[in-house]
Amino acid sequence: MNIFIDTGHPVHIHFFNPIAKKLEKNGHAVFFAIREKDCSLQLAKSYQLNFISKGKGSYSLFLKPIYLVWSVYKLYAAARRVNADIFLSFASPYAGIVSRIMNKPHIVFDDTEPDPIVQWVYRKLSDTIITPSCFQKNFGEKHIKINGYKELAYLNSKIFSVNPQFKKQLGFENQQDYILIRLVNHGAMHDKFSPHWNTEEKLKFIQKLAEKFAVVISSETTLPETLEKYRFRLPETHFHQAIANAKMVVGESATVAAESAVLGIPSVFIDFNTRGYIDEIEKNYYLIRHYKPTSVGLKLAEDFIQSVMQNKSAEDYQDYKENLTSEKTTIGDSFIEIIEKNF
């Protein structure tokens, strides 16, 4: 089969890359469309993907319809050129529209509940919807729930290994502990209609951490001079090493919180919204703590961060990780099985 994969975020590329490699090994041809967000081009080239670019897109609600038309045109032209037999995407309405124009099946993966507009579109334009089993919505007969997390598709031990010398690349000694902080720009559709952590309060919170502990900040937004010196400046292809070598992870990204969890690194996720996988990992595996950015929530987060950073042992968290990975599938293998058996 000729398989066409549409991506809109760097993590989509991480997720679909091992799936694509296995599909190619099984004799299929795989083609990618990428949106040039952050390090997407860098990742696509490093993974040696066969891809086209959809451009950078827009975070503006007024410009999104223009980008929709442009993306559909680009995808349709590319899919026709490679004679696509099936479309895969991470909750992409663009791939859904093109799949219907070409009368081809569309398989969607999603793990983000607070995204009603995108979900309304892809429910109508997809043949199969795959989510983690902990997903807190039900999409009916076409919905398949798999007992796993997307992060295990690309951060399982068969694919990813920790570089114990990585701290030196960040300027730390091998025994020095640091906090990795992840800040996002809230430009995604699932962020548009949700309250956000107040910027001034957020920066004060991060500044307090930087005064107490060694920190590395990965941010999609500009930082004040007092925090800019802590910015993560290595190639983004090294970002998961930065997670794996951290003492803990703090931030606004649910995906990065889950990535740290599957790597056995405790994380604090600060947001008004949650996800099914955030709740499940917090409840069953103790590797994530979710706090809302209120005065009470931030005080609890601060106390938890202090307790983790003062605890010299990380053995408990590695045990929690082993429990998680032993009970969860990578999702990617199930994805391939569904494609090859049903289409």
Side-chain angles (χ1 to χ4, degrees):
M1 286 189 294
N2 295 327
I3 300 170
F4 200 95
I5 301 177
D6 185 31
T7 67
H9 189 282
V11 74
H12 304 170
I13 299 173
H14 284 305
F15 173 66
F16 279 115
N17 173 58
I19 294 173
K21 294 293 188 282
K22 289 183 179 180
L23 287 169
E24 288 174 336
K25 189 176 180 180
N26 292 351
H28 306 290
V30 182
F31 308 90
F32 279 78
I34 66 164
R35 175 189 167 202
E36 294 181 30
K37 182 185 187 302
D38 302 331
C39 60
S40 291
L41 271 179
Q42 183 182 347
L43 288 175
K45 291 176 181 177
S46 69
Y47 286 143
Q48 298 181 319
L49 304 179
N50 187 357
F51 72 92
I52 64 152
S53 169
K54 301 184 295 183
K56 294 184 178 181
S58 174
Y59 291 120
S60 166
L61 282 175
F62 299 103
L63 294 178
K64 280 185 180 293
I66 298 174
Y67 182 67
L68 171 65
V69 174
W70 168 252
S71 291
V72 168
Y73 167 75
K74 290 283 287 185
L75 288 182
Y76 177 71
R80 283 289 301 272
R81 189 167 58 250
V82 301
N83 194 24
D85 295 306
I86 187 171
F87 291 81
L88 312 182
S89 80
F90 203 112
S92 168
Y94 317 114
I97 292 170
V98 174
S99 72
R100 283 298 167 261
I101 293 172
M102 296 182 63
N103 195 28
K104 302 293 184 180
H106 176 211
I107 300 179
V108 164
F109 178 81
D110 196 5
D111 65 354
T112 304
E113 288 89 350
D115 206 354
I117 295 176
V118 169
Q119 289 162 356
W120 181 84
V121 175
Y122 76 60
R123 285 184 69 178
K124 296 178 179 297
L125 300 175
S126 63
D127 298 88
T128 302
I129 301 168
I130 300 173
T131 71
S133 56
C134 55
F135 195 75
Q136 296 169 341
K137 290 183 176 181
N138 191 319
F139 294 141
E141 293 182 357
K142 65 173 69 175
H143 188 175
I144 298 173
K145 292 190 174 187
I146 297 173
N147 183 34
Y149 309 125
K150 70 177 183 297
E151 293 76 15
L152 285 170
Y154 54 94
L155 291 177
N156 67 76
S157 59
K158 294 180 181 178
I159 293 176
F160 179 83
S161 58
V162 181
N163 175 4
Q165 301 301 314
F166 178 77
K167 287 184 181 180
K168 292 182 179 179
Q169 296 183 47
L170 294 174
F172 299 131
E173 296 297 325
N174 279 341
Q175 301 305 314
Q176 187 172 358
D177 293 331
Y178 67 88
I179 301 173
L180 178 66
I181 298 169
R182 175 61 173 170
L183 306 178
V184 301
N185 61 19
H186 298 292
M189 281 298 293
H190 59 258
D191 292 319
K192 288 296 184 183
F193 307 105
S194 300
H196 303 141
W197 190 359
N198 177 273
T199 300
E200 184 178 351
E201 293 178 359
K202 180 196 310 182
L203 295 177
K204 285 182 180 178
F205 184 85
I206 301 305
Q207 185 64 50
K208 285 178 67 176
L209 292 184
E211 290 169 0
K212 292 181 180 179
F213 310 108
V215 300
V216 176
I217 304 175
S218 168
S219 178
E220 295 179 343
T221 62
T222 57
L223 296 169
E225 286 187 23
T226 53
L227 295 177
E228 182 64 34
K229 60 185 176 182
Y230 303 115
R231 184 181 289 275
F232 178 71
R233 300 188 185 280
L234 295 176
E236 289 295 327
T237 49
H238 295 345
F239 182 65
H240 292 131
Q241 290 292 344
I243 295 175
N245 282 275
K247 179 76 170 182
M248 72 179 307
V249 173
V250 176
E252 306 171 283
S253 169
T255 290
V256 172
E259 288 175 336
S260 66
V262 303
L263 291 171
I265 307 300
S267 68
V268 167
F269 173 56
I270 302 175
D271 196 74
F272 284 104
N273 284 322
T274 187
R275 313 282 190 273
Y277 61 89
I278 293 290
D279 291 349
E280 183 175 86
I281 294 173
E282 180 173 29
K283 179 181 178 181
N284 294 349
Y285 304 108
Y286 319 113
L287 284 157
I288 294 176
R289 293 287 186 97
H290 172 220
Y291 300 102
K292 293 182 179 180
T294 62
S295 56
V296 173
L298 293 175
K299 179 62 170 65
L300 292 171
E302 189 176 344
D303 291 344
F304 177 67
I305 292 167
Q306 182 85 16
S307 69
V308 171
M309 295 304 291
Q310 289 178 341
N311 182 2
K312 293 302 180 184
S313 172
E315 291 182 5
D316 287 347
Y317 293 108
Q318 289 302 311
D319 289 342
Y320 299 151
K321 169 201 167 182
E322 293 303 319
N323 291 339
L324 184 156
T325 55
S326 68
E327 294 177 4
K328 296 295 177 179
T329 180
T330 66
I331 285 186
D333 292 338
S334 300
F335 218 107
I336 294 168
E337 184 178 350
I338 290 167
I339 293 168
E340 296 187 328
K341 279 190 174 182
N342 297 284
F343 300 98

